[in-house]
Every structure is written in C-alpha cells, then in structure tokens.
Amino acid sequence: MSFQFRIAATSGKARAGRLITPHGEVETPVFMPVGTLASVKGVSQDILEELDVQILLGNTYHLYLRPGIEQVRMLGGLHRFMSWPRPILTDSGGFQVFSLNELRKVTEEGVAFRSHLDGSSHFFSPESAMQAQIGLGADIIMAFDECTEYSGDRERVRQSMELTLRWAERSKKYFEEHKHEVPWKDHVGSAGRAGTPVSPSNREATQALFGIVQGGMDPALRQESAERTVEIGFPGYAIGGLSVGEPRSLTREIVEATLEHLPKDQPRYLMGVGTPEEIVEYASLGIDMMDCVLPTRAARHGLLFTSQGKISIKQAGYAGDDNPLDPDCGCRVCARYSRAYLRHLYASNEVLAQVLNTIHNLSFYLDTMRRVRHSIELGRGARFLSEVWSQPKP
Ligand SMILES: [Zn+2]
C-alpha cells in the first residue's frame, strides 16, 4: 500500500492520526515547514531531522524554473537530490503562478506565465503540472487548481471553481496514466549520501494525488466544490484559496463549512496557514495538515514566536538582555544563546541570525503541534485550546 491515513484518537472534531507514505510515516495534525527551493532557508537537513520535521513542502514552480524538473528527475528525484529521506509534499505550482499577477494569462488549457527570474515564457496545464510533480517525486502531490483573488463577484468565483473541477479531472487522469514514472524506481533500496535510504524499498510504491476545494468565501460554493471534488475521488483533500486577505473569522467559517462535506476518514489539508494560534484552532476543527512560510520568513525578519508572545529581536531593549529567547523552549537556540546575542547577530546582519531564528521558530511550531497531538490523544475535549497553551513544555 502506497498511501494510507489512520486515525488513532479524536477529541471533539479534532483528530490525531498517521499518514503512511512511501518515505515513511507522519504524525497528524502536522505542520509542514516550507522548503521552497529544495531547502528550508538557512537550516540544514540534519538539523531539520533533529527538530523532528516529519514532512517538508517543496514548491513546484520554483523548482521547475531552477534547477529544472528534468535535472532533479535525472538525479533520482527531490528526496535524493536534497538528501532528505522523509516524506515531501509538493504544491502544483498554481498558487505561485497566480501570484505573478501581471505575468500570467489563464485559458481553459492552462496558464501562460513569465518567469519572475528572467521574464522567459512558460506554460502550466494540469498535465504538465502533474508531469513536473511526478518528476520531482514527492510523496504527496497536488491537483492543478486556479487560485482566484479575494473577490465578492460570485459569478467569477463560480466560473473559477468550475475550471478547477475540470482541471482536477485532467490532473487525476494524467496522474493515473503516469504514476509509475516516479524517479525513485531506478534507485529502489539505495542509500543516500548520508547513509539513510532516500528511496522506498517497495518497488510498487506510488505518490498520492490530493484534490483541492475552491469556492471563494461562499459556503454554498464551497459545499458544491467539496462534493464534486470528492466525486472525482482522491486519497486526501486540501482547502485552497484561504488566508488571502479575508478576516480570520471568515476563514474559520469557510473552513468549518468545507470540512462538513469532506470524508471523515481521509486527510484534510488547509493550505497556507497560519500563526501559532491559528494552527491550533484549525487542528481543533479537524484539519490534519497545514503549511506556512510564516515561521521561517518571520524568523529571517527577526520576528520570533515564543510562549510569551511575539518578540521583535531587533529592538534595542534586548541589547543587554541575558535571558534565553524563550525560557519555556527546549530548542538548541534557547538552550545556548541569550536574547542579547541574538539581537547583536540580527543588528549586525550576520548569517547566523537567520539560521538561529529559523531553528527556534520551527521548533516552536513543531512543539505546538506535538502538544496539540498530545491533547487530542488525551481526549481533552472543549478544554483543548486553552490547555495546549498552558501545558508544561518538554
Ligand atoms: Zn527555542
């Protein structure tokens, strides 16, 4: 079996379980750090393993432009290329392409766009986005969807939702016909450079393709999108098109409205969220997977998440502060360095500032999710949210 989802415990609407993928198991609910260009900026793979990152996200659009899909495929796929033996999820490239605004043109066939690097012309269709993701060889890949802007134009949102449904069918058709072309096949059982296996030992293992629910901020369209995407049939479902500038109460309302219409025994992935408070909240609603650039991007700008709230380490007030960044955090940064030193590194524009800040923020997010899983396993019900924040830290 290539892909399975097993629920081990529930608490209210929240679930704790496991994704079983060709490159290993992932405990859910899970936060997936973003490694856009086959790298979590500033943090090496051995430290990611030490932090117990169980799955990484890679961006197809960026990897397609640089170093190129064919290059990664020839080198055995993304796991082998970046020496990452654990599971990987890739997005379809849709979101990034739609973020290009002036540089793209959407037709029934797909999206023409210009590279943000050199202005060169490219084209993504559901078929080529699947071909790219099969070439990269992530464990979980995503259907090609249209991400609309935050709009009140219901007809525009409906047309976009219909296009996404047609593209979901084309994505699935291409995937079913080509899923045995994953690059691991040529490297079954072989060890990566670090000595850990980077290819599944099962020669028959294939990727899992997830569908994406769209429908803007309209609960009725969300319901229709969910039901028709489930009819097409995928082993997991993502909720796309949220966290695009709408108020948080509306995000929550749409997430709840969508979850009602997704199968309870399959994984649900909320794309592109959120703050530490948000990821806890969405896990409590029954979301199993989340990803966001926030902890890593914020870290590079000196914004750090702690058990005492957000800290902007650049502030002069920390120049003489000998305390650890977060006294309740067990990460290697908080164990070793003071706020004063971290503030000095940031103010001096030292590369080490980005490295250490990113390690702490990732550690904080991963610890938060560990506590969420623990709470669900204990069946803490309605006390769930407040308890996650008041539990003793490891
Ligand atoms: Zn820390």
Side-chain angles (χ1 to χ4, degrees), residues 61-105:
Y61 164 79
H62 290 90
L63 293 164
Y64 162 87
L65 291 178
R66 202 167 50 186
I69 303 297
E70 187 55 21
Q71 184 75 271
V72 176
R73 196 192 61 77
M74 283 192 319
L75 290 165
L78 196 48
H79 294 87
R80 192 177 173 86
F81 176 56
M82 67 183 287
S83 190
W84 177 253
R86 298 180 183 181
I88 299 175
L89 180 149
T90 47
D91 65 2
S92 67
F95 181 77
Q96 258 85 25
V97 168
F98 287 101
S99 307
L100 295 172
N101 288 319
E102 302 307 312
L103 302 175
R104 65 174 157 84
K105 182 172 186 292

Side-chain angles (χ1 to χ4, degrees), residues 51 305-306 324-335 342 356-357 359-364 367:
L51 289 169
F305 298 98
T306 79
L325 175 58
D326 182 350
D328 286 331
C329 177
C331 87
R332 58 157 72 201
V333 177
C334 293
L342 294 174
L356 298 181
N357 291 348
I359 291 171
H360 166 80
N361 270 1
L362 280 181
S363 179
F364 185 77
D367 272 347

Side-chain angles (χ1 to χ4, degrees), residues 3 21-24 79 86-89 137-141 184 206-208:
F3 181 83
T21 83
H23 287 86
H79 294 87
R86 298 180 183 181
I88 299 175
L89 180 149
D139 299 270
I140 300 172
I141 67 176
W184 335 311
T206 55
Q207 301 168 289

Side-chain angles (χ1 to χ4, degrees), residues 213-224:
V213 176
Q214 291 287 349
M217 305 302 160
D218 186 322
L221 286 181
R222 284 279 169 180
Q223 174 177 352
E224 186 177 344

Side-chain angles (χ1 to χ4, degrees), residues 347-362:
S348 313
N349 211 14
E350 283 291 317
V351 171
L352 188 58
Q354 302 201 357
V355 174
L356 298 181
N357 291 348
T358 304
I359 291 171
H360 166 80
N361 270 1
L362 280 181

